[in-house]
Amino acid sequence: MSLLEKLNPEQLAAVTLPAQSALILAGAGSGKTRVLTTRIAWLIQTGQVSPAGVLAVTFTNKASKEMLSRLSAMLPINTRGMWIGTFHGLCNRFLRAHYRDAALPQTFQILDSADQLSAIKRLLKTLNVDDEKYPPRNLMYFINGAKDQGLRSGAVEANDEYNRRFVELYAAYEDQCQREGVVDFAELLLRTYELLSRNQPLREHYQARFRHILVDEFQDTNDLQYKWLKLMAGPNNAVFAVGDDDQSIYAFRGANVGNMAAFEREFRVQNLIKLEQNYRSHAHILDTANTLIAHNTKRLGKNLRTDAGHGELVRIFEASSDLQESQWIIEQAKSLIAEGSLRSEIAILYRSNAQSRVIEHALFSAGIPYRVYGGQRFFERAEVKNAIAYLQLMDNPHNDSAFMRVVNFPTRGIGAKSLEQLQDAARQYGISLYAAVPYVTGKAGSSLGAFLKLIEGARFETQSLPLPEMVQVVLDRSGLITHYASEKEGADRVENLEQIVSAASLFVSEEGFGHDAPALLGPQAAAPAGPAVIDGEGVEIMDADAPLPAVMSPLSAFLSHASLEAGDNQANAGQDAMQLMTVHSSKGLEFDAVFITGLEEGLFPHENSDKEEGGIEEERRLMYVAITRARRRLFMTFAQTRMLHGQTRFNIKSRFFAELPDEAVKWLSPQVQQHHWFANQPRAAWDDSPQAGANNIAQKFARKELGWRIGESVAHPKFGEGVIVNIEGGGTNARANINFGRHGMKLLDLTIAKLEKIS
């Protein structure tokens, strides 16, 4: 069979282009892997290049392996020696061949991310640097960011004392790596680029060898990768760049979507081919994607089409709460499964990892197996497990596993030697590690004693607090939120920690403990076995002889629930299970049915996108990626209220809904449901505390006299659509806090504000 037999006209034109640089705009589901692989096979088969003369760059090992596998099936050639791989893989191969020129030992070793972080921690310890002031992970991000821009420590500009110290540490890290003969991932590319830059004979050798260079996912290249490609290509080589600027969603990793336009200009591209024939999705899904992405101004432009027919309309569901949203998704999924769909062909996508908690809970309650793709289940995430360990110590201080997990996290100067002394004391007296703390003397005893007082102080402070408030206090007192907030990419981890408060609120509501019930049953609720322990000030820390309570406390019950939810319904390898993932993780995947959840202003698009240049366009590209994952059915959902960061948030729907084609979508619920809001909310959503009584009366008066109520959607001539979050005062003094999404929260006088109800 001919290599070209099953190609459509655009694919055929791309594969058979002359030996000139070309840019292929490959839309989602348009067969770009087939085009890339067939292009290589056609060049070899027609004698334009030998297998050894091809350089093909992919972004994942999976993609390079697939390309090699397809080539082997197309041609009777040995692909083993071909230069097809990721940027890092190819640079490693290059440096192995030229280690002397690169000033590396022949047996240099590569540090993965975990190894790099360990090396940085060791460096800081050697230099006696305060790792609280200069967090190791932040230093790692700083170093890698500089390398991705092609900057050595001597070339990094420092505009303040803090950054100057980071530059000094970067220089010390470079010296340490060189001395030890190791390189990190970013170093692989930077050192290759530097060697090619300064060694003209070597550069010309590779330019002569690789007359044809092919690059996959070109929209994801960063600045240094693009510079590296320009060096490898030289003035005469043909670069076949395949990418989709509409799917550039990794700016936070350094990807520069502008590289595509720069490539077209700098390589004088005469051949720009658009692969617009989609082989994945039905027309209504593609029309939705096309209409949405057309609102981006900085794009090269293309329009996906299909021969698969219109298919079903895209369904949009407006829920009163995130609980109702997740329950509706589960019911729809059950219907799909009953119709014969595989669970593995149903995906639930969300913008933020923290959103998975309420969805996981609904799946857990329904007994539906699921798998979190590209990440961990909510209660299995490291930051969540750290917080749970603190809560376990609050509930049962002699839980040695929990103790060991967090005794020095965040770091508080308790090293391996101190823990060894503690373990010796615990064995000697036959007691728990926690109970053995007072038996450790010296500096180790002081550090361990400070940790013990932290836990006991938190227990005392929270002994009469409800569970959600207790969780919040523990998160604050433990230092976990401060620790993760200091990390460059710690925002998701902080969101996950704050979602534990929301999980506790939901648990209390569902289990009927009552929102005012104290989390702990009393100071004796978790007393460990062994002698009573007295601290240095004569205060009794634990009474080991006190009986355990007969009734499980809300905290104990919540911790049991967390353990069960972490382990139950875990899909085994090969088991048919629903797929949960962030939109970022979904790129490159496809499913029969896709649910895009949480489409609310501030969530999707993310609240930070309005503050960053090009932020909204990247969010729109992210939405485009989410839409084009669906083959046959696409569902979009949003909620009027959502529990985030331990608080109920009133939302307005995402601006992206206004950018969808009316003829391709179907609203499965009225676009405005505010008259059902109170009826559909769980009791927890009401503020009926005594201190809120006066305000509730004022709110009722304002609703009665002026016709407004909390949760109602309104429109303002200047600020657009909003949702009433709170009402203060009454009569002629009635004012309302209104969430206007991108315009933020506004306090308006209800008697004079030009508000209209959205009906």
Side-chain angles (χ1 to χ4, degrees), residues 562-707:
S563 297
L564 290 171
E565 193 159 315
D568 246 25
N569 286 357
Q570 175 63 53
N572 299 318
Q575 182 181 2
D576 187 30
M578 285 182 60
Q579 309 293 305
L580 273 64
M581 66 195 73
T582 63
V583 180
H584 280 103
S585 297
S586 74
K587 188 170 179 291
L589 304 176
E590 56 186 80
F591 305 91
D592 281 346
V594 170
F595 293 86
I596 309 174
T597 66
L599 283 165
E600 298 134 28
E601 284 294 310
L603 192 54
F604 201 175
H606 194 274
E607 58 191 351
N608 292 336
S609 58
D610 274 324
K611 306 171 188 175
E612 302 166 355
E613 184 180 356
I616 284 297
E617 295 221 343
E618 174 130 348
E619 289 290 301
R620 193 174 284 112
R621 292 195 294 269
L622 195 58
M623 182 67 174
Y624 176 85
V625 167
I627 291 170
T628 53
R629 299 311 94 197
R631 296 191 197 104
R632 298 172 54 231
R633 291 186 172 105
L634 177 62
F635 304 86
M636 300 179 184
T637 65
F638 68 102
Q640 295 172 358
T641 63
R642 185 175 299 278
M643 181 76 82
L644 282 176
H645 318 312
Q647 298 179 335
T648 299
R649 189 164 84 174
F650 296 83
N651 308 306
I652 59 177
K653 62 180 179 286
S654 170
R655 70 191 74 179
F656 294 150
F657 284 119
E659 300 174 358
L660 305 182
D662 291 337
E663 63 275 9
V665 303
K666 178 180 181 181
W667 291 77
L668 297 184
S669 56
Q671 292 192 32
V672 179
Q673 294 183 336
Q674 281 72 24
H675 56 287
H676 296 306
W677 188 83
F678 284 102
N680 289 339
Q681 286 304 300
R683 182 75 176 166
W686 292 69
D687 184 2
D688 56 6
S689 57
Q691 60 267 34
N695 196 40
N696 285 344
I697 293 171
Q699 292 170 5
K700 291 175 183 176
F701 183 80
R703 291 197 295 271
K704 181 178 178 182
E705 296 296 313
L706 301 172

Side-chain angles (χ1 to χ4, degrees), residues 94 192-199 202-203 228 231-232:
F94 176 87
T192 301
Y193 172 74
E194 290 173 336
L195 179 52
L196 286 170
S197 297
R198 68 173 182 263
N199 192 321
L202 191 63
R203 181 172 68 249
W228 181 89
L231 279 183
M232 292 294 281

Side-chain angles (χ1 to χ4, degrees), residues 393 397-405 407 418-427 430-440 448 451-452 528 542:
L393 288 179
H398 62 280
N399 181 332
D400 283 357
S401 295
F403 183 94
M404 287 296 291
R405 184 177 185 94
V407 65
S418 298
L419 291 175
E420 187 178 333
Q421 293 180 48
L422 179 64
Q423 289 167 329
D424 288 343
R427 278 193 295 270
I431 54 179
S432 70
L433 296 174
Y434 194 94
V437 168
Y439 297 100
V440 180
L448 288 163
F451 175 68
L452 185 146
M542 293 170 284

Side-chain angles (χ1 to χ4, degrees), residues 451-508:
F451 175 68
L452 185 146
K453 286 188 176 182
L454 184 154
I455 299 299
E456 288 303 319
R459 280 179 58 79
F460 178 79
E461 184 179 343
T462 62
Q463 60 185 346
S464 60
L465 291 181
L467 180 61
E469 293 179 36
M470 177 194 190
V471 173
Q472 187 64 63
V473 169
V474 171
L475 291 176
D476 293 335
R477 288 284 298 268
S478 66
L480 288 173
I481 287 182
T482 302
H483 170 79
Y484 288 117
S486 70
E487 294 185 352
K488 180 182 176 183
E489 297 180 4
D492 280 351
R493 293 183 183 272
V494 173
E495 284 188 4
N496 286 333
L497 289 176
E498 291 171 336
Q499 277 301 101
I500 303 174
V501 184
S502 302
S505 295
L506 177 60
F507 177 78
V508 166

Side-chain angles (χ1 to χ4, degrees), residues 251-529:
F252 67 96
R253 293 183 188 169
N256 183 0
V257 66
N259 285 346
M260 296 189 75
F263 172 77
E264 185 180 12
R265 180 179 65 255
E266 293 173 9
F267 281 74
R268 296 181 177 85
V269 171
Q270 300 175 18
N271 302 301
L272 190 152
I273 295 178
K274 300 178 181 180
L275 303 183
E276 299 175 302
Q277 179 73 35
N278 178 280
Y279 293 95
R280 176 187 301 163
S281 308
H282 286 152
H284 282 318
I285 294 171
L286 296 182
D287 291 345
T288 301
N290 288 332
T291 306
L292 173 87
I293 202 64
H295 287 80
N296 273 5
T297 57
K298 299 176 182 178
R299 59 190 294 259
L300 298 172
K302 64 182 180 314
N303 216 44
L304 297 178
R305 65 179 188 276
T306 182
D307 295 331
H310 289 294
E312 297 185 12
L313 292 170
V314 174
R315 289 162 168 77
I316 301 173
F317 179 73
E318 177 181 10
S320 61
S321 69
D322 53 349
L323 300 180
Q324 187 190 58
E325 177 191 49
S326 58
Q327 203 55 51
W328 182 83
I329 291 171
I330 300 306
E331 293 306 316
Q332 296 301 309
K334 285 181 177 177
S335 297
L336 293 173
I337 294 166
E339 293 172 9
S341 294
L342 293 173
R343 285 191 285 262
S344 58
E345 285 296 340
I346 303 172
I348 303 175
L349 311 184
Y350 35 81
R351 175 66 179 82
S352 166
N353 258 315
Q355 290 172 251
S356 78
R357 181 196 59 80
V358 69
I359 299 170
E360 288 188 57
H361 179 72
L363 288 164
F364 168 79
S365 301
I368 299 176
Y370 67 93
R371 183 176 291 107
V372 178
Y373 182 91
Q376 293 174 305
R377 291 161 167 255
F378 181 78
F379 283 111
E380 292 173 347
R381 293 166 191 165
E383 63 275 15
V384 175
K385 288 175 75 69
N386 288 335
I388 292 295
Y390 274 102
L391 293 172
Q392 287 171 331
L393 288 179
M394 301 286 287
D395 188 51
N396 174 15
H398 62 280
N399 181 332
D400 283 357
S401 295
F403 183 94
M404 287 296 291
R405 184 177 185 94
V406 296
V407 65
N408 195 41
F409 191 88
T411 54
R412 47 179 64 89
I414 300 173
K417 192 171 181 180
S418 298
L419 291 175
E420 187 178 333
Q421 293 180 48
L422 179 64
Q423 289 167 329
D424 288 343
R427 278 193 295 270
Q428 180 180 348
Y429 294 103
I431 54 179
S432 70
L433 296 174
Y434 194 94
V437 168
Y439 297 100
V440 180
T441 58
K443 183 181 178 182
S446 298
S447 299
L448 288 163
F451 175 68
L452 185 146
K453 286 188 176 182
L454 184 154
I455 299 299
E456 288 303 319
R459 280 179 58 79
F460 178 79
E461 184 179 343
T462 62
Q463 60 185 346
S464 60
L465 291 181
L467 180 61
E469 293 179 36
M470 177 194 190
V471 173
Q472 187 64 63
V473 169
V474 171
L475 291 176
D476 293 335
R477 288 284 298 268
S478 66
L480 288 173
I481 287 182
T482 302
H483 170 79
Y484 288 117
S486 70
E487 294 185 352
K488 180 182 176 183
E489 297 180 4
D492 280 351
R493 293 183 183 272
V494 173
E495 284 188 4
N496 286 333
L497 289 176
E498 291 171 336
Q499 277 301 101
I500 303 174
V501 184
S502 302
S505 295
L506 177 60
F507 177 78
V508 166
S509 296
E510 292 188 337
E511 298 301 319
F513 278 106
H515 290 282
D516 296 326
L520 290 166
L521 291 181
Q524 320 303 337

Side-chain angles (χ1 to χ4, degrees), residues 52-72:
V54 172
L55 176 66
V57 188
T58 66
F59 265 80
T60 65
N61 288 317
K62 179 183 176 183
S64 60
K65 288 177 182 176
E66 181 180 356
M67 195 176 292
L68 288 167
S69 175
R70 291 195 187 191
L71 273 174
S72 296

